[in-house]
């Protein structure tokens, strides 16, 4: 749905029965503004199996983007590039011997994938997988209780962002880490947070179960820090972190809280607005808010 600044309904699209939608946003495709979203089935394991949709200014679908290489497009993120390609997330549960990390020998693990898809042809132009680059031991999720029917979701890719350098900013929810990935080689250039951070984490910069890291125009990183689940922090927040590549230090520039405090066990995002304000979706808690740079609550809505 699209709402006006007072929360009034402007546009609404009903989806087929048993179909969910996520990641609804305005982007640009072919030099024109478009609406994009993911739609499909949300599994009990917390990822999506479906497709991404592009609609034009008349609300007409002009493209359906599917994942390749035997997987389905995931619900978490869908970003169009100026080159006519789409960056998407996907999940791939596979059988895996987890005894080396304290799990069952006859176990399963869910690999987190990023794919770059040519929108017109559906060709997979680039693929990055978490299992190729991140050790299972980096996860904060325990593997002991996993099984082939409930695989070890060690990474849980939940956002991607095309940086000004051309690199990719990837969030691993269950490793508590933001990754800078070389878009040519797939190698991790640096890690922010988690068990093996490339930066010394300054006061207030560490996140837990985070979502939606985005590079800001000045090079800082905004993050929606869930702090749960299970609860590590007393409340969820949005933060901005400055990175110093010379000293390898991360410094907290600012943070945004909801009054009264909210704790979102999953999902959520933090969007920088053109006027300097912040717009936050509080994830599993059905609130969305606009706040000033100083944290003053300017708009707040709650779905029943």
């Amino acid at each position: 749905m699209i709402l006006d600044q007072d929360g009034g309904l402007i546009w609404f699209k009903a989806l087929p029965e048993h179909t969910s939608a996520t990641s609804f946003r305005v982007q640009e495709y072919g030099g024109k503004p478009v609406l994009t979203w993911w739609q499909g089935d949300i599994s009990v394991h917390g990822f999506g199996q479906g497709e991404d949709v592009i609609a034009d200014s008349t609300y007409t679908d002009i493209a359906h983007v599917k994942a390749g290489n035997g997987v389905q497009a995931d619900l978490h993120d869908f970003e169009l590039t100026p080159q006519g390609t789409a960056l998407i997330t996907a999940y791939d549960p596979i059988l895996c011997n987890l005894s080396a990390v304290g799990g069952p020998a006859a176990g399963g693990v869910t690999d987190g994938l990023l794919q770059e898809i040519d929108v017109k042809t559906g060709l997979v132009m680039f693929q990055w997988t978490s299992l190729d680059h991140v050790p299972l031991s980096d996860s904060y999720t325990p593997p002991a209780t996993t099984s082939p029917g409930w695989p070890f979701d060690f990474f849980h890719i939940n956002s991607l962002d095309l940086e000004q350098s051309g690199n990719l900013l990837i969030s691993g929810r269950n490793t508590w880490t933001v990754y800078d990935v070389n878009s040519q080689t797939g190698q991790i250039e640096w890690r922010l947070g988690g068990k093996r951070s490339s930066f010394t984490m300054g006061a207030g910069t560490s996140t837990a179960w985070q979502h939606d890291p985005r590079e800001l125009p000045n090079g800082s990183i905004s993050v929606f820090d869930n702090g749960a689940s299970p609860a590590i922090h007393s409340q969820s927040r949005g933060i901005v972190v400055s990175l110093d590549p010379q000293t390898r230090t991360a410094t907290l520039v600012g943070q945004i809280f909801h009054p009264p405090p909210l704790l979102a066990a999953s999902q959520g995002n933090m969007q920088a607005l053109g006027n300097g304000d912040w717009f936050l979706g509080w994830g599993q808690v059905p609130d969305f808010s606009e706040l000033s740079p100083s944290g003053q609550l300017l708009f707040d809505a709650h779905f029943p």
Side-chain angles (χ1 to χ4, degrees):
M1 65 178 65
I2 299 175
L3 308 177
D4 64 22
Q5 294 189 48
D6 297 316
L9 184 65
I10 293 176
W11 178 81
F12 177 87
K13 180 181 177 67
L15 294 173
E17 190 176 6
H18 307 304
T19 300
S20 299
T22 68
S23 197
F24 184 45
R25 58 190 286 202
V26 177
Q27 299 198 67
E28 188 172 288
Y29 178 67
K32 298 178 180 179
V34 291
L35 295 172
T36 66
W37 67 89
W38 172 89
Q39 64 183 33
D41 176 63
I42 300 178
S43 77
V44 295
H45 300 90
F47 62 87
Q49 295 178 302
E51 63 181 6
D52 293 296
V53 183
I54 305 174
D56 64 17
S57 59
T58 69
Y59 304 104
T60 303
D61 294 1
I62 57 174
H64 288 243
V65 181
K66 301 179 186 297
N69 298 339
V71 297
Q72 296 190 57
D74 164 58
L75 62 89
H76 282 96
D77 215 342
F78 174 52
E79 183 167 328
L80 297 173
T81 76
Q83 289 73 42
T85 65
L87 299 169
I88 68 171
T89 55
Y91 280 64
D92 187 20
I94 60 177
L95 297 173
C96 184
N97 183 346
L98 298 174
S99 57
V101 289
V109 65
T110 301
D111 197 4
L113 281 67
L114 178 152
Q115 290 184 346
E116 183 177 11
I117 307 291
D118 182 78
V119 173
K120 289 185 177 179
T121 66
L123 177 69
V124 179
M125 303 181 67
F126 176 84
Q127 177 169 293
W128 183 91
T129 87
S130 57
L131 277 177
D132 284 345
H133 299 281
V134 180
L136 298 178
S137 57
D138 279 6
S139 183
Y140 287 88
T141 300
T145 58
T146 60
S147 67
W150 199 273
F152 177 34
D153 189 6
F154 86 105
F155 190 79
H156 199 88
I157 186 171
N158 63 18
S159 76
L160 50 87
D161 186 37
L162 182 61
E163 299 178 79
Q164 299 169 63
S165 66
N167 281 3
L168 300 165
L169 200 64
I170 297 174
S171 171
R173 177 191 188 273
N174 291 347
T175 60
W176 300 5
T177 305
V178 177
Y179 302 85
D180 177 83
V181 173
N182 187 301
S183 59
Q184 302 299 313
T185 67
Q187 297 303 306
I188 295 172
E189 301 285 352
W190 50 256
R191 301 168 180 82
L192 177 66
K195 297 180 180 179
R196 295 189 298 134
S197 180
S198 306
F199 297 88
T200 300
M201 305 299 289
T205 59
S206 295
T207 61
W209 320 110
Q210 81 289 329
H211 285 72
D212 198 46
R214 303 287 166 185
E215 184 189 39
L216 302 175
N218 65 0
S220 296
I221 307 294
S222 65
V223 187
F224 183 85
D225 179 20
N226 293 72
S229 163
I232 302 298
H233 304 152
S234 61
Q235 59 183 307
S236 299
R237 59 181 182 150
I239 64 171
V240 176
V241 178
S242 174
L243 306 179
D244 189 322
Q246 275 71 46
T247 62
R248 287 283 172 164
T249 55
T251 304
L252 185 68
V253 176
Q255 57 185 339
I256 296 287
F257 297 98
H258 185 281
L262 298 176
L263 186 63
S266 69
Q267 304 160 79
N269 78 311
M270 179 182 184
Q271 180 181 352
L273 301 182
N275 64 358
D277 292 342
W278 296 99
F279 198 84
L280 282 84
W282 297 96
Q284 188 171 325
V285 180
D287 284 65
F288 47 99
S289 315
E290 181 177 355
L291 299 101
S292 72
S294 63
Q296 179 187 1
L297 190 63
L298 304 174
F299 174 90
D300 196 43
H302 176 87
F303 282 115

